[in-house]
């Protein structure tokens, strides 16, 4: 008696020295009639590459809700700098670093605090239609390092058509 439904949509656009990614994800789950998953997340990131095309300035915005963890909303704003350590047609490895701000409502408490953000991303193209990917972010509160967020994902994706893919 287990139910888990997830959906994810992602749009990527690269042109000249610009990169834009927009996405939304949601999940709902129950075990024996009891809710165990209720999340919704929207995110966007804009990268502006510098002349060397490996280093970039960025602005990342995340908004999420987690009904199980009693997070009514969490808005995270993060400007920063990033660098592609490897960037080929088949393999990409990058890191990002910068300040940020988190504004959230946990239960009945609303608070905002300054944060830092360190992130790493890896993408490997298996063939023309399939890719492996992994991302991890560490977002601590600057004046209380024991309060932090870790956001991680790993998966495989395959193109179904030229503009539609499937991710696990």
């Amino acid at each position: 008696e287990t139910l888990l439904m997830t959906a994810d949509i992602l749009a990527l656009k690269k042109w000249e020295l610009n990169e834009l990614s927009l996405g939304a994800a949601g999940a709902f789950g129950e075990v024996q009639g009891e809710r165990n998953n209720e999340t919704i997340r929207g995110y966007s990131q804009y990268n502006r590459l510098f002349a060397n095309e490996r280093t970039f300035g960025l602005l990342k915005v995340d908004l999420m809700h987690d009904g199980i963890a009693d997070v009514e909303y969490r808005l995270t704003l993060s400007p920063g700098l990033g660098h592609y350590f490897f960037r080929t047609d088949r393999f990409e490895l990058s890191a990002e670093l910068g300040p940020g701000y988190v504004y959230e409502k946990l239960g009945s408490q609303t608070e905002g605090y300054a944060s830092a953000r360190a992130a790493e991303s890896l993408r490997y193209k298996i063939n023309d239609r399939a890719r492996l990917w992994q991302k991890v972010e560490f977002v601590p509160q600057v004046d209380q390092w024991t309060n932090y967020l870790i956001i991680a994902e790993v998966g495989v994706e395959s193109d179904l058509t030229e503009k539609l893919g499937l991710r696990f």
Side-chain angles (χ1 to χ4, degrees):
E1 295 184 36
T2 300
L3 169 70
L4 177 62
M5 296 182 293
T6 63
D8 194 356
I9 188 166
L10 176 64
L12 300 169
K13 174 78 173 161
K14 294 182 180 183
W15 71 103
E16 298 170 3
L17 297 176
N18 304 286
E19 301 172 332
L20 178 65
S21 61
L22 303 169
F28 177 81
E30 287 183 346
V31 173
Q32 297 180 343
E34 187 170 329
R35 199 173 37 134
N36 68 349
N37 197 331
E38 180 190 316
T39 58
I40 300 171
R41 180 175 175 232
Y43 46 93
S44 66
Q45 182 166 333
Y46 171 73
N47 297 342
R48 174 65 179 178
L49 296 163
F50 298 137
N52 67 5
E53 296 189 23
R54 285 188 174 258
T55 305
F56 55 93
L58 68 96
L59 178 60
K60 182 171 176 55
V61 179
D62 281 293
L63 180 62
M64 68 90 68
H65 163 78
D66 187 335
I68 303 302
D70 206 17
V71 178
E72 190 67 30
Y73 60 82
R74 178 179 291 132
L75 175 65
T76 306
L77 303 170
S78 304
L81 288 174
H83 186 76
Y84 288 105
F85 295 101
F86 297 99
R87 193 168 193 203
T88 67
D89 290 341
R90 293 185 66 87
F91 183 73
E92 198 173 271
L93 174 66
S94 66
E96 301 168 1
L97 188 62
Y101 191 79
V102 176
Y103 186 71
E104 62 188 4
K105 182 176 182 185
L106 301 172
S108 61
Q109 285 189 311
T110 303
E111 69 173 333
Y113 55 85
S115 65
R117 178 175 172 272
E120 173 270 338
S121 176
L122 176 112
R123 187 177 194 75
Y124 176 70
K125 187 175 179 181
I126 298 167
N127 59 39
D128 289 341
R129 297 184 58 121
R131 292 162 298 285
L132 296 171
W133 53 271
Q134 166 276 320
K135 296 179 183 182
V136 66
E137 294 181 47
F138 176 60
V139 184
Q141 182 174 337
V142 272
D143 60 349
Q144 186 180 341
W145 285 81
T146 56
N147 183 27
Y148 59 87
L149 302 169
I150 294 178
I151 304 154
E153 49 187 51
V154 63
V156 61
E157 61 186 351
S158 178
D159 297 335
L160 298 176
T161 67
E162 190 175 307
K163 295 189 179 197
L164 183 64
L166 183 62
R167 304 176 108 200
F168 290 99

